[in-house]
Structure formats: structure tokens, C-alpha cells
Amino acid sequence: MNARAAPIVQQSWAALRRYTPARIALGRAGNGVPTQAHLAFQAAHARARDAVHAGFDVETFADKVASSGCSAITVRSAAADRQAYLRFPDLGRTLGAESKARLSEPLVAPDVVIVIGDGLSSVAVERNAFPVLRALWGRLQERRYEIAPVVVALQARVALADQIGEVLQARLSVMMIGERPGLSAADSLGMYLTYAPRVGRLDSERNCISNIHANGMSAEVAAAQACRLIDSMFTYRVSGVALAQHLTSSTPDRAALSTKHDTARAL
């Protein structure tokens, strides 16, 4: 004799679910959640795990960047493979010896270097990084900033951009990287901006723009926010908490925040 399935009890505030991707007001069936909600959770968890372990084809992505008119350089961190990357985070913050030597070749010191790294979700990079790069690159060119070739990095952590920026003698680094996948989004891209990048920079010394994906922040909005931050960083010559203090303690001069390259270089 088959046991009767427990009836699904709906939550009175289920209407709020349309305002958030968070798992709220799922209801219950006996002592557990309804089958549909349980299966949706399992599927989201599987997507998140797959995103962490998915491979990143740096050469193909670099070719795509180059085809858009931006020169690109591929590098990799000191992590030999994905398992080493996940088990020893510091390896992802350090350039491999060959990559460091390649970046050490003579190059005009740029104002900005853009690094695109797989991070914890190469899926996020493949889906979202290129539109952000195109929008950001155009805005930086309008401001006449000197931009280094785009650096596409394998097995990368956020702080890898610190060493890359230091080797290239860049005044500012922008790291686009796959964020840690969650149950609401496994393809979320983050941007980390650091003034005067160098090895040893603290997280409090950088600014972050996160949640860039199809159901989050758009590429255009992310690029516009990044440009405003970059202008502010060149104006105040700081980033992170120190920049936030400048922006909250006084009303920024809009003319200063839109400073062109020539004026910014004179600071």
C-alpha cells in the first residue's frame, strides 16, 4: 500500500519570491521542502560545483580579445593544475616563472592594465568578461589613458593582478575574475580595482564591483562604474577604504573625476 504524499503547505508570503532569486517561501511537504524546490536546489548546487572545476581555454579567449582589436598576453599562475589552485590559494596569487619573464620584457609603463582571470568560475569569465572589456576599453580610450595589452590569466586569484601590475609598472590594475559560485548564480563576474598595484596589497586597498551577469549588473553599468572609480583613483591617488573616505568626506569635483589622461599623469 502506497503512503499518501504529504500535502504541500504554501507560505503566506510566497508573493515576495518574485523580488529575489534567494530561496525564500518555499513551503513545506511534511518535514521537508517540496520535491520541486529540492530538485531545484540540487541542480543549482551541481551548476556551482561544475563552474568551479570547469576548464578555461586561455588561448581561445585571448584570440577573441585580439580579434576585437585589443592586444592580449596569456599567463598562468604558479598553480600547476586546478587541484593545486584549489588546495593552495597562494599559488594562484603568484605568477609562474615563465609568465613573469614574459611580462618582464620592455614595455611602456601603462596607466591601466586589465587582467582577466578564471578565478573560481571560468563560466563567468566566458559569459560576461568580454562584453565588460569592450565597454570598459572604449571608455578608457576616450579618456586617453595608456592601456597595457590585456592579460588573460589561468588559475588566477584576485591578488595576481598586484604582481602583474607591479611587473608592468602600471599605475592601476583592473582584475576581472569569476566569483565564487553561489546557489543563485554560478556565472557571476567580479571586478577588482587597485591603485599602484604591487605584491602585498591588502583587500582593503582595492575596490570591488560584483554580481556582473545576465540577471545581475549589466556589462555597460559595470564598465561605467569602473571608469568612475578609475577617474577617482587617479584624482586622489588611492583606492579601497582610503578612496571611500575621500568620496564620503567631501563632495567630489565632477570636473576632477572626469580628468583626462594628460592631467592625470601630471598629478
Side-chain angles (χ1 to χ4, degrees), residues 4 22 51 65 68-69 76 104 172 198 249 256:
R4 292 181 59 189
V65 171
S68 70
R76 66 178 305 145
S104 299
L172 186 147
R198 61 175 182 270
S249 63

Side-chain angles (χ1 to χ4, degrees), residues 152-253:
V152 185
L154 181 65
Q155 313 295 9
R157 300 264 178 187
V158 171
L160 187 66
D162 295 339
Q163 186 178 16
I164 292 172
E166 183 175 27
V167 171
L168 295 178
Q169 300 180 48
R171 299 177 65 206
L172 186 147
S173 67
V174 179
M175 167 64 94
M176 300 184 196
I177 194 165
E179 296 184 311
R180 185 183 303 275
L183 295 175
S184 297
D187 61 348
S188 182
L189 184 77
M191 296 176 67
Y192 294 82
L193 299 89
T194 309
Y195 184 80
R198 61 175 182 270
V199 174
R201 280 295 190 195
L202 304 176
D203 287 339
S204 60
E205 295 176 299
R206 46 180 128 257
N207 296 83
C208 176
I209 301 171
S210 64
N211 205 37
I212 306 167
H213 58 93
N215 296 314
M217 183 181 294
S218 70
E220 287 292 333
V221 171
Q225 287 195 11
C227 277
R228 286 195 291 270
L229 282 170
I230 289 170
D231 288 340
S232 299
M233 289 175 186
F234 282 132
T235 298
Y236 294 108
R237 293 180 287 179
V238 291
S239 56
V241 173
L243 178 64
Q245 291 173 341
H246 278 293
L247 296 179
T248 56
S249 63
S250 61
T251 302
D253 181 349

Side-chain angles (χ1 to χ4, degrees), residues 114-185:
I114 299 174
V115 184
I116 300 177
D118 49 358
L120 288 169
S121 176
S122 62
V123 176
V125 176
E126 291 170 351
R127 291 180 183 175
N128 304 301
F130 189 67
V132 178
L133 173 63
R134 285 191 303 181
L136 179 59
W137 190 275
R139 284 176 166 81
L140 293 177
Q141 285 187 319
E142 289 174 0
R143 288 161 167 77
R144 295 185 291 171
Y145 289 128
E146 186 72 36
I147 314 170
V150 177
V151 179
V152 185
L154 181 65
Q155 313 295 9
R157 300 264 178 187
V158 171
L160 187 66
D162 295 339
Q163 186 178 16
I164 292 172
E166 183 175 27
V167 171
L168 295 178
Q169 300 180 48
R171 299 177 65 206
L172 186 147
S173 67
V174 179
M175 167 64 94
M176 300 184 196
I177 194 165
E179 296 184 311
R180 185 183 303 275
L183 295 175
S184 297

